Amino acid sequence: MSSIRPALTALERALLSTMAVFHTYSGCRGSLRKVDLKTLINRELRQFVQVSTLEQLFRDLDTNGDLRIDFQEYATLVAMVTSARGTFLVQK
Amino acid sequence: MSSIRPALTALERALLSTMAVFHTYSGCRGSLRKVDLKTLINRELRQFVQVSTLEQLFRDLDTNGDLRIDFQEYATLVAMVTSARGTFLVQK
């Protein structure tokens, strides 16, 4: 009898959702070019991130300077945005 | 006429969801004690994080050594778990 996996929690679903967005925009390349990040921000984070910050954001995220945002660097974006929003919410 | 805000995207909802979990477990303290982090992992990340890693995880996250996980340090947990799961998914 196959073991029945417990349902995912809201937080686990949220993390899977953030991963799915990366894979949607990185496609088979497995990393985001600047144009991909711009499209992702425009479509998926338009209320949390201003696309005018794209250049600076890309420089901050691209820690290995390969002009690509790999998954680890994307996870940093998730943390940065979560942190920025969260700190804003805590101070309100 | 009040401006109608566009609906949140899936990624924005996911980030808000991660923030809400922090506030649920940090309560009015605004930070997580080790016991709070343990409860959070047990209830919210039971399929992604093994509670046996709690001690190491707490040390890694508590970068300022105040025995509390503030929101910034929690955002790093979100990135770490997202990254660990994402890299696992990419390699599959």
Side-chain angles (χ1 to χ4, degrees):
Chain A
M1 205 185 81
S2 71
S3 68
I4 298 171
R5 289 188 68 148
L8 291 176
T9 65
L11 183 54
E12 287 165 338
R13 286 197 306 276
L15 298 187
L16 288 182
S17 183
T18 58
M19 293 176 220
V21 168
F22 176 82
H23 294 302
T24 299
Y25 290 87
S26 62
C28 54
R29 288 178 307 280
S31 60
L32 301 169
R33 299 160 301 184
K34 193 178 290 186
V35 63
D36 303 320
L37 182 62
K38 184 176 182 179
T39 311
L40 187 156
I41 289 172
N42 264 328
R43 289 193 194 150
E44 308 294 343
L45 286 172
R46 56 175 174 262
Q47 295 191 69
F48 284 10
V49 177
Q50 283 156 4
V51 80
S52 58
T53 64
L54 177 69
E55 294 297 329
Q56 181 63 49
L57 190 59
F58 194 87
R59 270 195 304 273
D60 292 346
L61 292 175
D62 184 19
T63 49
N64 59 8
D66 64 352
L67 296 182
R68 292 294 175 90
I69 305 299
D70 63 27
F71 192 83
Q72 303 263 348
E73 294 163 338
Y74 169 75
T76 306
L77 169 67
V78 169
M80 282 165 65
V81 175
T82 304
S83 189
R85 290 297 299 192
T87 318
F88 167 72
L89 291 176
V90 168
Q91 283 159 3
K92 254 198 349 185
Chain B
M1 206 185 80
S2 70
S3 68
I4 297 170
R5 288 190 67 149
L8 291 176
T9 66
L11 183 54
E12 286 165 338
R13 286 197 308 276
L15 298 185
L16 289 182
S17 182
T18 58
M19 293 176 218
V21 167
F22 175 81
H23 294 303
T24 300
Y25 290 87
S26 62
C28 54
R29 288 177 308 281
S31 60
L32 301 169
R33 300 160 301 184
K34 192 179 290 187
V35 63
D36 303 321
L37 181 63
K38 184 175 182 180
T39 313
L40 187 155
I41 288 172
N42 264 328
R43 289 193 194 152
E44 309 294 344
L45 287 172
R46 57 177 173 262
Q47 295 191 69
F48 284 10
V49 178
Q50 285 159 359
V51 81
S52 58
T53 64
L54 178 69
E55 294 297 328
Q56 181 63 49
L57 190 59
F58 194 87
R59 270 195 306 272
D60 291 347
L61 292 174
D62 184 19
T63 48
N64 59 8
D66 64 350
L67 297 181
R68 293 293 175 93
I69 304 299
D70 63 28
F71 191 83
Q72 303 266 348
E73 294 163 337
Y74 169 75
T76 305
L77 170 66
V78 169
M80 280 166 66
V81 174
T82 305
S83 186
R85 289 299 297 191
T87 318
F88 166 73
L89 291 176
V90 168
Q91 282 161 0
K92 256 207 332 187

